[in-house]
């Protein structure tokens, strides 16, 4: 049994990759977790997972030059499938092959987290959302970010993808997040999983090439991510059903 989540946002800079890895590490205490860098154009997962020297990446798989198993790495209690950062690798990769990658991975894990591109501006950028069973929407507590997040939700639900919840990130001390969350939940289908405080420790972790929960496991932001993961109820689905959904996911004609 397995469930596929797309961790998504309507804009860049929300801390989506940090959130994907943190949720993955927290969930790995209870489940077999696989994290996939589905942002093939602006890959960041390999830096967060300390895999900048990885010889084989998802780009190679999407170019049909390597098997999925060759691009998987065991890091911090999770299976990690990073993308490369070269322009040549991006150009040669066929994002449509991501469907078969997810279908293959579904056979050997409990939870798949897809670190999705931060936009809805291309056909391939929205593919992870279309393939996922549910999305986690990463927001900052601002009107533009919430508006963009609602577009992500609208797009996901139009393709039958559910909403697992929303995650507020980079929350400053002076922001009344309880009021914002209460108002926001009127418009989102899922609950607020947590509010992650702005954290210098998260920036330190990125510079060190380590996930936040490994770099500073006792900081407030790490604790908030663990609370979010505990709120994320896993709805395990039949492996064959999940694999078939991934394989048959429609690449939209336009976003």
């Amino acid at each position: 049994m397995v469930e596929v989540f797309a961790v998504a946002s309507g804009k860049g800079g929300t801390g989506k990759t940090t959130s994907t890895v943190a949720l993955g590490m927290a969930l790995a205490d209870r489940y077999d977790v696989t994290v996939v860098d589905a942002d093939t154009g602006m890959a960041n997962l390999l830096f967060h997972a300390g895999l900048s020297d990885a010889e084989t990446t998802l780009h190679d798989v999407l170019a049909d030059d390597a098997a999925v198993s060759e691009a998987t790495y065991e890091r911090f209690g999770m299976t990690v499938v990073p993308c490369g950062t070269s322009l040549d690798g991006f150009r040669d990769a066929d994002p449509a092959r991501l469907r078969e990658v997810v279908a293959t991975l579904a056979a050997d894990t409990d939870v798949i987290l897809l670190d999705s591109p931060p936009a809805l501006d291309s056909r391939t950028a929205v593919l992870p959302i279309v393939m996922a069973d549910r999305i986690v929407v990463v927001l900052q507590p601002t009107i533009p970010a919430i508006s963009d997040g609602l577009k992500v939700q609208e797009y996901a639900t139009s393709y039958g993808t559910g909403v697992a919840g929303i995650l507020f990130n980079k929350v400053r001390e002076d922001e009344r997040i309880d009021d914002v969350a209460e108002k926001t939940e009127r418009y989102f289908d899922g609950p607020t999983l947590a509010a992650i405080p702005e954290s210098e420790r998260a920036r330190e972790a990125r510079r060190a090439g380590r996930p936040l929960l490994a770099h500073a496991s006792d900081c407030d932001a790490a604790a908030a991510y663990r609370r979010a993961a505990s709120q994320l109820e896993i709805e395990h689905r039949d492996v064959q059903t999940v694999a078939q959904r991934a394989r048959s996911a429609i690449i939209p004609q336009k976003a």
Side-chain angles (χ1 to χ4, degrees):
M1 307 296 281
V2 63
E3 185 167 13
V4 180
F5 294 91
V7 182
S9 63
K11 62 186 292 294
T14 60
K16 182 173 49 57
T17 302
T18 295
S19 298
T20 303
V21 176
L23 288 173
M25 282 191 66
L27 287 169
D29 289 339
R30 295 178 287 147
Y31 303 102
D32 187 344
V33 175
T34 299
V35 177
V36 181
D37 195 342
D39 188 354
T40 58
M42 300 294 286
N44 283 306
L45 180 60
L46 76 172
F47 300 118
H48 289 253
L51 288 169
S52 55
D53 59 349
E55 293 186 4
T56 305
T57 72
L58 183 60
H59 276 166
D60 300 301
V61 180
L62 298 182
D64 204 21
D65 290 332
V68 179
S69 59
E70 297 177 73
T72 61
Y73 301 86
E74 298 304 314
R75 298 289 289 169
F76 303 103
M78 307 175 293
T79 299
V80 179
V81 186
C83 253
T85 57
S86 75
L87 289 176
D88 287 343
F90 172 64
R91 184 184 61 244
D92 295 340
D94 179 3
R97 289 197 174 104
L98 184 62
R99 295 176 293 189
E100 186 60 36
V101 169
V102 172
T104 300
L105 292 170
D108 295 311
T109 193
D110 298 325
V111 177
I112 297 176
L113 297 174
L114 303 176
D115 185 15
S116 306
L120 298 175
D121 57 0
S122 75
R123 295 167 59 230
T124 54
V126 298
L127 182 57
I129 294 173
V130 176
M131 286 193 298
D133 299 305
R134 292 188 291 165
I135 59 171
V136 174
V137 186
V138 181
L139 304 171
Q140 288 179 256
T142 65
I143 296 299
I146 293 169
S147 176
D148 288 342
L150 283 169
K151 294 172 188 174
V152 172
Q153 173 177 270
E154 180 180 1
Y155 199 92
T157 54
S158 73
Y159 279 89
T161 301
V163 180
I166 57 178
L167 185 66
F168 284 103
N169 196 25
K170 300 183 180 180
V171 178
R172 301 191 308 269
E173 290 184 3
D174 62 339
E175 289 174 317
R176 297 175 59 84
I177 191 61
D178 290 341
D179 292 343
V180 173
E182 181 181 355
K183 293 176 181 177
T184 301
E185 284 182 351
R186 302 174 190 172
Y187 304 102
F188 281 90
D189 293 342
T192 298
L193 299 172
I196 315 299
E198 180 117 42
S199 174
E200 177 58 33
R201 305 306 298 278
R203 289 185 282 271
E204 289 175 1
R206 288 195 296 273
R207 291 193 293 268
R210 289 170 58 81
L212 174 65
L213 269 65
H215 180 76
S217 63
D218 58 346
C219 73
D220 290 344
Y225 276 121
R226 283 191 288 269
R227 287 196 299 273
S230 70
Q231 295 294 318
L232 194 60
E233 297 183 3
I234 307 301
E235 300 176 359
H236 284 320
R237 300 153 200 268
D238 178 73
V239 171
Q240 295 302 320
T241 301
V242 171
Q244 180 57 33
R245 176 181 172 88
R247 289 190 175 104
S248 62
I250 297 171
I251 299 179
Q253 292 303 306
K254 63 179 181 178

